[in-house]
Structure formats: C-alpha cells, structure tokens
Amino acid sequence: DSAYSFIEKQVSFGPRYLSSKGWAQCANYLENKLRSYTPHVIIQEAPVTTYDGKNHIFKNIIASFSPEKNNRIALFAHWDTRHVADYDTIKKDKPILGANDGGSGVAVLLEIARQLSINTSRVGVDIIFFDAEDYGDAENTTNNNSNISWCLGSQYWSNNIHNPNYNPKYGILLDMVAGKNATFYREGYSMENASFIVEKIWKRANKLNFGNYFIYQNSPKILDDHVFVNYIAKIPTINIIEYDPSTSHQFNKHWHTHKDDMNNID
C-alpha cells in the first residue's frame, strides 16, 4: 500500500519531464522523502542539451544506506517521464503522467528505502534515481549511435560516479514494474553482462511463487539505463522490466500513451 501511494504522490505532480513544473516538485519530494530515511543523500546535477536543442539541468538523486560497508549493491530506477505521447493516437505532442513508466520503479525503491530505515541490511545499499531517461528522440532508439539521446542521466552518472571509489557487487534496474499481470523476461543485455544476477533473482522469485511474473525465457536487448552502467561504469547490472511479446513495441499497451496513469497500476 505504501509503494502504491508513492506512485500516486509522483503522479499528483503531473508529468515530470526535464524542466517542467512537475519535475521540479517531484525532485524536491524525492530528495525530502529519501532524507527522511537516511542522512546520506546526494543530488548530482549537470547541464544537458537534449536532441531537440533545448538546454536543461538534470538531477540524479542518490541515497546511501550503511555507507561504511564495503559490500554493496546498487538499485536503480529513472524518475523522469516521457515529454510526448508518441505511441498514443491523440495528443501525441503532449507529455504523459508516467505512472508505470517512471513512477513504479521509483516507488518500489522508496519502499525499500523505508524498510532499510527500519531494519539495517547485511550489505550496504545505494538507491539511485536517474533523470532524463525518457527524453530521447524516437528516431534514435538503437544502440548503433554513439550519441544516444536516451538515458542521459545514467550516461552522465556512469562517466561521473558520485564516489570515485564506488565498487558495488552488482546493480538492479527497475522499470515499469507495477502493471497488472506484468511479466519479466530475462532481458538480453542483462544476460550478456550479469547472467549470474538474473539467475539468482529468477530462482528466488520462483521459490517465492512469483513464477507467473518472472518468466524463464529470454527477451531481446532493451536499451535502458543499465546498458550504460554495464558498459561505462563496468558494474554488472540487470534490468527487471515488463516485457509483452504480444504488442508491436513489446512493452505494455499503455507505454508512452496518456493511459499510463493510476488505472495502469495494480
């Protein structure tokens, strides 16, 4: 219920794309919420020019738990939302609410942060909210272009890690994790770079009777924040992301549409 409410709170700010009013309000909310769980919060800011020639300041929001521990894992999600509804049939040039795409991963990690503030874990945990994941050019979706317009926050963080000595054992990225009957396949980049983590999590999920959600099938490679964490930061990182082979884009049917609202959240 609290994870659900964390999505509702984000959606209440409206669309949260770079430099928007909702983006500014949500950034303040996320920083304050994390500070209520740990004093170790860093805001990483940098200027960026997006594919449409606009200049912005983006914010990656980083919270650490038990920072004194050397044995660490990193948990990632993007907190921004898409600035256009490019897969809708109406108002394609208007921004979306991004309840699932953006809101859900953040909400799950906020709930984990709340739990970590109550019970100290055996390992150190860093929760990192990436900005500017979804402000990409629809024409620039492949990994063949060295100047990829998506995942700008994770690209920057991977080149400018908040702690130069940071060396977590592995990372887990959450993206679109709150849809009804969502299924999570073993994503291509995850299998290529961190299959041992995929196997560990899928095995545990099935042991907990979540086998209907964590499917023992591979999906294609999906361009997402974990790609840059793997290849630039060299941190083995997997992506837990909803995959629907029945749709044309292979994401949930509300992806990048105005229907990605609270009705899309289970």
Side-chain angles (χ1 to χ4, degrees):
D1 56 341
S2 59
Y4 186 93
S5 72
F6 291 147
I7 302 181
E8 280 187 318
K9 185 63 176 181
Q10 293 173 81
V11 170
S12 73
F13 299 122
R16 301 169 302 285
Y17 59 95
L18 282 172
S19 302
S20 66
K21 180 180 178 182
W23 171 89
Q25 292 174 333
C26 191
N28 290 333
Y29 163 73
L30 294 177
E31 178 181 356
N32 292 332
K33 180 59 71 173
L34 287 171
R35 288 193 189 281
S36 73
Y37 300 139
T38 174
H40 308 289
V41 177
I42 298 170
I43 307 300
Q44 184 183 55
E45 295 182 304
V48 66
T49 301
T50 46
Y51 74 93
D52 51 6
K54 295 180 179 178
N55 295 317
H56 306 273
I57 301 290
F58 70 79
K59 293 185 178 185
N60 292 330
I61 305 170
I62 304 160
S64 295
F65 295 82
S66 302
E68 73 285 354
K69 293 179 178 175
N70 291 324
N71 189 17
R72 314 193 64 75
I73 63 171
L75 304 177
F76 306 103
H78 77 90
W79 70 273
D80 67 308
T81 57
R82 185 78 171 137
H83 61 299
V84 291
D86 40 345
Y87 275 85
D88 212 324
T89 56
I90 59 168
K91 300 179 180 176
K92 296 171 73 76
D93 61 335
K94 301 296 183 184
I96 67 170
L97 284 172
N100 198 12
D101 191 2
S104 65
V106 169
V108 171
L109 296 190
L110 284 178
E111 174 58 13
I112 290 177
R114 188 177 76 85
Q115 296 293 338
L116 290 173
S117 73
I118 299 169
N119 298 296
T120 303
S121 66
R122 288 176 297 161
V123 300
V125 178
D126 302 285
I127 291 175
I128 300 169
F129 295 148
F130 290 130
D131 199 358
E133 187 269 353
D134 243 338
Y135 206 120
D137 185 353
E139 301 303 317
N140 177 15
T141 55
T142 71
N143 203 18
N144 299 323
N145 190 335
S146 60
N147 185 26
I148 295 172
S149 63
W150 300 77
C151 306
L152 300 178
S154 57
Q155 289 190 59
Y156 182 86
W157 180 85
S158 297
N159 281 299
N160 304 273
I161 295 179
H162 63 284
N163 180 346
N165 299 316
Y166 189 56
N167 187 31
K169 299 292 186 183
Y170 58 86
I172 302 169
L173 171 67
L174 302 181
D175 197 353
M176 295 187 285
V177 293
K180 186 175 179 62
N181 298 320
T183 52
F184 308 108
Y185 287 59
R186 303 186 302 181
E187 183 272 335
Y189 287 114
S190 305
M191 293 298 291
E192 183 174 273
N193 293 283
S195 60
F196 67 104
I197 302 303
V198 175
E199 295 300 334
K200 178 176 181 171
I201 292 174
W202 262 245
K203 182 178 179 180
R204 177 60 60 88
N206 277 263
K207 189 175 180 179
L208 294 170
N209 295 318
F210 296 136
N212 288 342
Y213 305 101
F214 288 80
I215 310 299
Y216 273 106
Q217 293 183 43
N218 293 353
S219 74
K221 293 179 176 179
I222 298 172
L223 180 65
D224 208 341
D225 289 315
H226 69 308
V227 172
F228 305 98
V229 177
N230 274 300
Y231 290 113
I232 299 175
K234 307 297 185 183
I235 299 168
T237 299
I238 73 162
N239 191 9
I240 300 178
I241 184 170
E242 181 176 355
Y243 178 75
D244 185 350
S246 70
T247 65
S248 61
H249 45 63
Q250 299 182 324
F251 296 126
N252 64 79
K253 62 185 179 181
H254 304 305
W255 181 68
H256 287 185
T257 74
H258 295 294
K259 290 186 178 179
D260 187 3
D261 55 21
M262 291 308 295
N263 294 319
N264 190 25
I265 303 302
D266 184 4

